[in-house]
Amino acid sequence: MARSLGALLAAALGLASSQAASLPDKVRFNEHVRPILSNCFYCHGPDEKHRDAGLRLDVRESAIADRDGIRAIVPGKPDASDLLIRVMSDDKDEVMPPPKAKKPRLTKDEVAVLRRWIEQGAEYEGHWAFQPLRDEAPPAVQNTAWPKNAIDHFILAPLERAGLAPSPEADRATLLRRVALDLTGLPPSPEEVDAFLADRAPDAYEKVVERLLASPHYGERWGRHWLDQARYADSNGYTIDSARVMWPYRDWVIAALNADQPFDRFTIEQLAGDLLPGATKAQRVASGFHRNTLINEEGGVDKEQMRIEAAMDRTATTGTVWLGLTVSCAQCHTHKFDPISHREYFQLYAFFNSGSDVNNKGATVSVARGEMFGHKPAAELAAADLERASRQAAWEKAELARLARTSTTASAGSVKWMTAEYLEYGTTSNAGFRLLEDNSLLSDGRGAFNDTYRVVAKSPLKRIAAVRLRVLTHESLPQQGPGMAGNGNFVLTDFEVSAGGADQPIAKVFADHEQPKFPAAAAIDNDPKSGWAINVAKGAAAKMNADHEAIFVFAKPVEAGELEIRLRHDLNENYLVGRFALDFAETTPGDPRDQSGELLAALRVPADRRSAAPRKLVETAFAQTEPKAAVVEQMVMEDLPTPRETFLLQRGDFLRPDRQLGPLQPGVIAAVSAVFKNPPAAFRNRADLARWLVSPENPLTPRVTMNRVWMRYFGRGIVETEEDFGSQSSRPTHPELLDWLGREFIRRGWSLKAMHRLIVSSATYRQASLARRDLVDRDPRNLLLARQERLRVEGEIARDLALGASGLLDPTIGGPSVHPPQPDGVFSFTQNKKAWPTSTGASRFRRGLYTQFYRSAPYPLLTTFDAPDFQTTCTRRPRSNTPLQSLTLANDPVFLKIAQGLVARLLRELPAGSLDARLRRAFRLTLSREPGPGEFAILREFTRAQADSFAADEGAARAVAGPALANAPQPAETAALVAAARTLFNTDNFITRE
């Protein structure tokens, strides 16, 4: 390409005068050059279709190639290298990066680095993250007394080179609170602190670590970190965002971590538990990892688009969680920065393209509360599965014999329905109906969005056993109805009947068609947040925009010929029945959905040969016989018997498959596989992908996993961009340590507990976190770790700490999500106002991990403390510092209730104690240490001032103390203690891990 002589001379003069103050003797590509050139990869990187000038700077062969007499890099000759000439040019048409890129120009130091690198031969290195794990011995150090294990050698050596010393060990009370919060998320009790302070044995700290690792609360603490990555939530997402059942998967995660399931197995069961030979129920539940995707329940949704988006989410999540790569950047084109081609993306996508689930349909498994066995070891989990399988086999044999004897193709019975005579009809909003010739009622559409229909009907029958409600289509209704919603649906929240002024109990109801999670039974549960609806067909013959019926059977036949019937619509706006008719029967009809015949047919098929539907039918029937409560259906992964064909989608558009290229087979990223000595020959399904991810030859999974574990303990990873290990990533601060941790992880059998034990036992972890003046200028971000970090805890843990201090914490492990009190109006700005049946009793005080999580409106405390909405995977939560956080800790009714609980504990434990004694106890319960003299003086002065204020207003005192403390002998002092407790909760020390 031509350029002016003036430009060449200017560039050359600029280069000649550009010298950095200091340069490394040997310039290394990964350490010094790649961070500079990576900014060029957007235009000169892996993406062939959008590459400028055909120049690729991430590959040496391309960078040094001759292009019409011009070479970007000429090894050994920087002044002849077009790259250097262009980055120094002042010609707006030639300078790199070009002005249109809106990127800053290279600094003189960066140019000097490139110059020396080219002078030294312009050698390239493969991206550090894709290289095999190095097996290096810990470096030698001068201060041999400080290290407690190999980790400390890797930390101390760079500190000594920088002329810095590590910080002394934290005081024992701080250290105990730190490790308790990190391993269990709960504070140590004053008694545990005293015992630790009194134990002068050399292994006192190690004994504490072992106790915490053995605690069932360890699985909850580290399970929360993993559930963030699994984008776990209790709802489907999007605007409807209805509730879903996924808590058995959460229980499985807790159980697996408590049992220290090896991480390679932990990975395989979550990605492909359903594909393992003889998959146990626990393994199938584990596969729910990838059923945590969003589900769009909106009318008019393209099911194929939603299916593809779910598969893309699974692809992106897998790449982020295990590989630390932004693979979704290759969804529309080859990755701009990393060696992930457009084709490779869809080969990864192919692993997830054959899932049988389509939106909210798919495989499920019946699970009872406690079935994942909380913190029991893996051997017991397997034994429990075998025991249950034995019980199920015995039940199947007996049930098959019973049904074979009794089944004679039972009929629902011959029932004669009598047409109702409508004496009155209308709505609470005074809307009207038109009586049609077929005796049906058609709404005039003028009612309120949430209206109640009232019909007084007469029947010639003297004895009425059941009422039939027929919902009917009509051309005047949206999509012909039978409902008035835009898609023709409705939600009947309650069907009520009275006679002679008395309500008539309805024993059961069945319908010919039900929307998942909106069964007909929900129309008789007296809950305005649930109801019968008809969206989403359950079979080829079932359609929403068609006539349907529900039959309501009285608990006792009604001896009256005149009934008042009310149809309530309390849930969604304008989800009203549009046209309906009522009929009466004198005899009790049978349920047409009786599945005894289908069950008999399923049982006649050997268990190992049943397809998904019969298997689910048998499992559900058996689960109902088990002596356990809360049997639920959890979504799990399952692939189609015949895999779908996978095509590259041009620009990622599901409507533009590249059929000319042809179907793609499942595959992985070649740049990663290139370091395998024995790469797999072929890939078929998710199980193959999972095994590839945790192969000891895969350098990314151990690096990424250990980096995230390190991040939880020190606030940032060794690679700060823990979600991106690609070419745009941060350089590791301690690359040798990261590799050593990865290798040690594998050497120790992929044991997470072994790595936790190693890290928390290190001198590095045990340092004090106090700020140091000598680090302000030399290492202001503490990258060299000359001290520990102070970390604000997450929202769940802030509440857990308060519950633990107050003694209110319910330590129950696992089970369905709970609904602790929350402010009114949380769901006011969501499309659907969710049911929030506030938990009572001890359930109100479960750990935050178990709080019902709606993606569209998360629990407010969690949102305040930076919890994500889990639309996508979250590998690192941000930490903000806002006034709202302080206001929440001070004034939220939940924290007021917990503060009252703390005071109740003080009065219970110190019935004759002085105010000072109770304040000291409160301080130790909340902050796990004794107060300093100045701290205690401030707290005592504040509490006494509060007591004086409350003494003048006994009503205010009793209001602050609350009902639980209403009978306290000194209401003013009691209320003042509540104020002191709220103040302690609102301190930085309380919500900070020192």
Side-chain angles (χ1 to χ4, degrees):
M1 60 189 73
R3 75 170 47 86
S4 67
L5 178 61
L8 287 170
L9 289 173
L13 290 171
L15 282 171
S17 63
S18 174
Q19 296 296 329
S22 62
L23 287 173
D25 293 333
K26 173 61 178 176
V27 179
R28 300 186 65 87
F29 181 79
N30 276 340
E31 185 174 351
H32 306 111
V33 178
R34 187 184 291 274
I36 301 172
L37 289 187
S38 66
N39 294 305
C40 308
F41 292 170
Y42 186 87
C43 299
H44 302 291
D47 188 357
E48 182 177 359
K49 288 187 178 180
H50 304 92
R51 191 180 299 146
D52 285 356
L55 172 62
R56 185 172 181 179
L57 288 175
D58 64 324
V59 175
R60 189 174 192 269
E61 290 73 15
S62 174
I64 66 175
D66 189 308
R67 291 176 177 78
D68 298 328
I70 297 176
R71 298 168 68 185
I73 295 173
V74 182
K77 298 180 179 180
D79 291 339
S81 298
D82 193 55
L83 172 66
L84 277 181
I85 294 172
R86 279 180 169 266
V87 298
M88 291 300 299
S89 174
D90 291 324
D91 187 328
K92 66 178 181 179
D93 295 325
E94 296 178 344
V95 66
M96 289 292 161
K100 66 179 182 180
K102 297 182 179 180
K103 289 181 178 290
R105 295 192 63 175
L106 269 60
T107 66
K108 290 184 177 180
D109 286 355
E110 290 171 330
V111 172
V113 167
L114 292 179
R115 167 177 280 276
R116 177 162 293 183
W117 172 63
I118 295 173
E119 286 174 347
Q120 294 176 349
E123 292 299 325
Y124 273 67
E125 295 174 302
H127 181 48
W128 66 266
F130 292 175
Q131 302 309 302
L133 293 170
R134 290 174 292 181
D135 195 4
E136 297 183 4
V141 295
Q142 298 172 21
N143 182 4
T144 57
W146 186 73
K148 295 186 181 295
N149 59 39
I151 288 174
D152 301 323
H153 286 259
F154 288 103
I155 296 297
L156 184 57
L159 285 174
E160 290 180 337
R161 288 196 296 270
L164 296 171
S167 293
E169 185 168 298
D171 67 81
R172 287 168 71 86
T174 297
L175 187 58
L176 179 60
R177 188 173 197 265
R178 176 191 297 169
V179 74
L181 293 188
D182 280 346
L183 290 181
T184 69
L186 295 174
S189 68
E191 291 71 29
E192 288 170 333
V193 175
D194 289 342
F196 180 53
L197 295 178
D199 188 350
R200 308 313 298 179
D203 63 344
Y205 178 72
E206 285 72 17
K207 288 187 293 187
V208 166
V209 170
E210 292 307 314
R211 174 175 60 80
L212 294 171
L213 286 172
S215 167
H217 299 303
Y218 159 83
E220 293 178 316
R221 177 65 172 129
W222 283 86
R224 177 67 271 174
H225 294 317
W226 184 260
L227 293 171
D228 281 13
Q229 297 182 171
R231 68 268 194 241
Y232 172 88
D234 297 301
S235 69
N236 289 334
Y238 293 102
T239 54
I240 292 180
D241 197 31
S242 58
R244 64 165 54 160
V245 172
M246 287 302 293
W247 59 260
Y249 167 74
R250 178 184 59 204
D251 284 6
W252 180 88
V253 169
I254 295 170
L257 292 174
N258 277 334
D260 198 23
Q261 184 181 63
F263 186 77
D264 55 349
R265 196 68 189 174
F266 186 70
T267 293
I268 290 168
E269 293 191 4
Q270 289 185 84
L271 289 181
D274 58 305
L275 298 176
L276 300 179
T280 65
K281 176 175 287 192
Q283 289 168 336
R284 294 182 65 203
V285 167
S287 75
F289 175 90
H290 270 321
R291 290 303 302 275
N292 283 317
T293 47
L294 276 64
I295 292 174
N296 194 335
E297 302 166 280
E298 297 290 333
V301 165
D302 188 305
K303 294 180 181 179
E304 179 65 4
Q305 180 183 3
M306 290 300 101
R307 184 193 70 77
I308 289 174
E309 288 189 6
M312 288 178 169
D313 170 81
R314 290 162 186 163
T315 306
T317 298
T318 302
T320 300
V321 171
W322 279 276
L323 300 175
L325 296 177
T326 55
V327 298
S328 60
C329 292
Q331 178 179 318
C332 301
H333 48 72
T334 291
H335 203 294
K336 292 289 188 181
F337 302 101
D338 297 334
I340 308 172
S341 70
H342 194 28
R343 180 189 181 110
E344 282 180 326
Y345 172 86
F346 281 100
Q347 288 179 300
L348 276 174
Y349 164 88
F351 287 111
F352 305 104
N353 192 36
S354 292
S356 64
D357 60 300
V358 178
N359 216 23
N360 61 343
K361 289 185 176 182
T364 62
V365 63
S366 301
V367 188
R369 178 170 184 167
E371 200 167 352
M372 295 299 105
F373 298 102
H375 59 280
K376 292 189 178 180
E380 291 186 46
L381 290 172
D385 264 330
L386 288 173
E387 180 185 347
R388 189 178 190 278
S390 177
R391 291 198 308 273
Q392 181 169 333
W395 171 83
E396 287 186 21
K397 183 177 179 180
E399 186 69 0
L400 176 60
R402 185 187 71 81
L403 289 176
R405 288 194 311 269
T406 62
S407 179
T408 55
T409 317
S411 134
S414 177
V415 176
K416 183 177 182 181
W417 291 99
M418 303 297 293
T419 302
E421 178 185 351
Y422 310 125
L423 304 179
E424 300 177 28
Y425 45 84
T427 81
T428 55
S429 66
N430 294 319
F433 293 99
R434 180 155 58 100
L435 180 61
L436 304 184
E437 292 182 359
D438 64 352
N439 203 50
S440 65
L441 295 169
L442 176 65
S443 172
D444 63 9
R446 294 187 291 121
F449 282 155
N450 297 101
D451 214 342
T452 298
Y453 298 172
R454 176 181 175 273
V455 179
V456 177
K458 182 178 180 181
S459 170
L461 302 173
K462 293 181 179 180
R463 178 180 182 274
I464 303 175
V467 179
R468 179 172 68 178
L469 170 66
R470 289 182 287 129
V471 291
L472 308 168
T473 57
H474 193 270
E475 59 186 9
S476 67
L477 300 173
Q479 304 295 320
Q480 295 192 343
M484 298 177 66
N487 60 358
N489 198 7
F490 63 85
V491 181
L492 179 64
T493 55
D494 280 294
F495 185 89
E496 303 167 342
V497 181
S498 60
D503 289 340
Q504 301 301 313
I506 297 173
K508 60 182 178 179
V509 57
F510 43 84
D512 65 337
H513 175 49
E514 299 169 324
Q515 178 175 329
K517 301 181 183 179
F518 289 83
I524 60 171
D525 62 1
N526 199 32
D527 182 357
K529 301 300 184 182
S530 65
W532 175 43
I534 58 172
N535 200 353
V536 186
K538 287 207 169 188
K543 296 179 180 179
M544 174 169 63
N545 304 116
D547 297 346
H548 293 293
E549 64 180 44
I551 297 173
F552 299 85
V553 181
F554 292 120
K556 181 180 180 181
V558 179
E559 305 290 340
E562 187 174 302
L563 303 178
E564 178 180 312
I565 298 168
R566 295 175 296 279
L567 282 66
R568 303 184 64 89
H569 308 85
D570 296 323
L571 190 51
N572 297 338
E573 293 185 350
N574 210 39
Y575 273 67
L576 312 171
V577 172
R579 179 187 172 208
F580 66 96
L582 297 168
D583 308 297
F584 302 125
E586 190 171 21
T587 57
T588 302
D591 189 340
R593 302 169 303 171
D594 183 5
Q595 293 181 312
S596 59
E598 295 178 41
L599 180 58
L600 175 60
L603 288 169
R604 282 174 170 160
V605 178
D608 59 352
R609 292 171 53 192
R610 289 177 196 143
S611 59
R615 183 178 67 211
K616 179 180 175 182
L617 181 63
V618 172
E619 285 186 350
T620 302
F622 171 66
Q624 292 170 351
T625 70
E626 288 280 82
K628 293 178 182 177
V631 175
V632 296
E633 293 290 322
Q634 186 206 286
M635 299 184 296
V636 296
M637 290 295 288
E638 186 172 79
D639 281 355
L640 297 171
T642 302
R644 291 186 180 93
E645 286 189 328
T646 297
F647 295 93
L648 182 147
L649 302 181
Q650 300 175 72
R651 303 297 300 172
D653 186 348
F654 81 106
L655 296 175
R656 297 176 60 196
D658 189 340
R659 298 189 181 277
Q660 185 175 356
L661 179 63
L664 301 177
Q665 295 302 310
V668 296
I669 299 170
V672 179
S673 272
V675 304
F676 282 48
K677 293 180 181 178
N678 299 295
F683 293 90
R684 299 162 301 163
N685 54 33
R686 286 177 279 115
D688 296 326
L689 171 63
R691 294 186 185 99
W692 177 79
L693 288 171
V694 292
S695 165
E697 292 191 283
N698 190 323
L700 279 172
T701 297
R703 278 190 180 119
V704 168
T705 306
M706 283 298 97
N707 188 63
R708 290 206 182 108
V709 170
W710 187 268
M711 175 184 70
R712 310 297 181 195
Y713 288 117
F714 297 97
R716 71 172 64 84
I718 296 171
V719 178
E720 189 165 5
T721 55
E722 49 73 40
E723 80 290 354
D724 185 4
F725 271 50
S727 64
Q728 296 293 97
S729 68
S730 301
R731 177 76 183 167
T733 56
H734 299 78
E736 296 83 4
L737 172 59
L738 183 59
D739 278 14
W740 185 87
L741 288 170
R743 281 207 170 274
E744 197 67 14
F745 189 28
I746 297 170
R747 275 195 293 262
R748 295 186 182 225
W750 297 90
S751 168
L752 283 168
K753 281 191 177 182
M755 302 310 294
H756 292 311
R757 184 182 295 110
L758 192 66
I759 292 172
V760 302
S761 298
S762 68
T764 304
Y765 175 81
R766 293 158 71 163
Q767 293 179 101
S769 62
L770 300 175
R772 288 170 43 181
R773 291 185 180 275
D774 62 325
L775 298 180
V776 172
D777 294 325
R778 303 182 66 182
D779 187 17
R781 299 189 63 215
N782 194 31
L783 297 178
L784 294 177
L785 290 177
R787 61 178 177 84
Q788 247 291 7
E789 290 283 351
R790 300 177 75 249
L791 306 175
R792 206 245 9 246
V793 299
E794 305 98 308
E796 294 95 333
I797 304 303
R799 181 173 172 274
D800 292 349
L801 289 176
L803 288 171
S806 69
L808 292 174
L809 178 70
D810 178 357
T812 303
I813 306 292
S817 295
V818 295
H819 301 77
Q822 70 174 3
D824 294 334
V826 170
F827 303 121
S828 295
F829 299 98
T830 60
Q831 178 170 325
N832 283 349
K833 294 185 178 180
K834 319 295 182 192
W836 191 266
T838 302
S839 299
T840 58
S843 292
R844 292 173 298 164
F845 306 123
R846 298 284 305 281
R847 294 196 68 169
L849 172 75
Y850 301 112
T851 298
Q852 176 80 16
F853 196 99
Y854 282 106
R855 287 176 160 119
S856 61
Y859 191 65
L861 171 68
L862 303 183
T863 303
T864 301
F865 281 90
D866 308 312
D869 59 12
F870 299 118
Q871 307 277 352
T872 56
T873 184
C874 172
T875 54
R876 174 179 55 181
R877 293 191 187 187
R879 288 189 180 94
S880 66
N881 188 0
T882 69
L884 185 57
Q885 293 165 355
S886 180
L887 290 170
T888 297
L889 294 172
N891 301 320
D892 190 295
V894 168
F895 280 91
L896 172 59
K897 184 71 176 178
I898 298 174
Q900 293 165 349
L902 175 56
V903 173
R905 178 178 184 176
L906 297 175
L907 299 179
R908 185 171 61 251
E909 294 180 352
L910 301 171
S914 65
L915 177 64
D916 281 9
R918 287 169 176 166
L919 287 175
R920 288 186 183 280
R921 179 70 174 173
F923 198 100
R924 295 195 67 202
L925 286 168
T926 53
L927 302 181
S928 308
R929 62 177 175 84
E930 290 285 351
E935 293 173 318
F936 187 71
I938 293 171
L939 181 62
R940 180 170 53 189
E941 182 180 351
F942 168 79
T943 308
R944 287 178 173 173
Q946 291 291 306
D948 291 341
S949 176
F950 284 124
D953 190 345
E954 186 172 328
R958 294 195 181 279
V960 170
L965 301 170
N967 297 320
Q970 297 176 295
E973 183 175 304
T974 300
L977 283 170
V978 172
R982 295 168 68 186
T983 301
L984 288 169
F985 290 157
N986 200 21
T987 59
D988 180 64
N989 280 179
F990 180 71
I991 60 170
T992 300
R993 188 280 259 162
E994 294 284 349

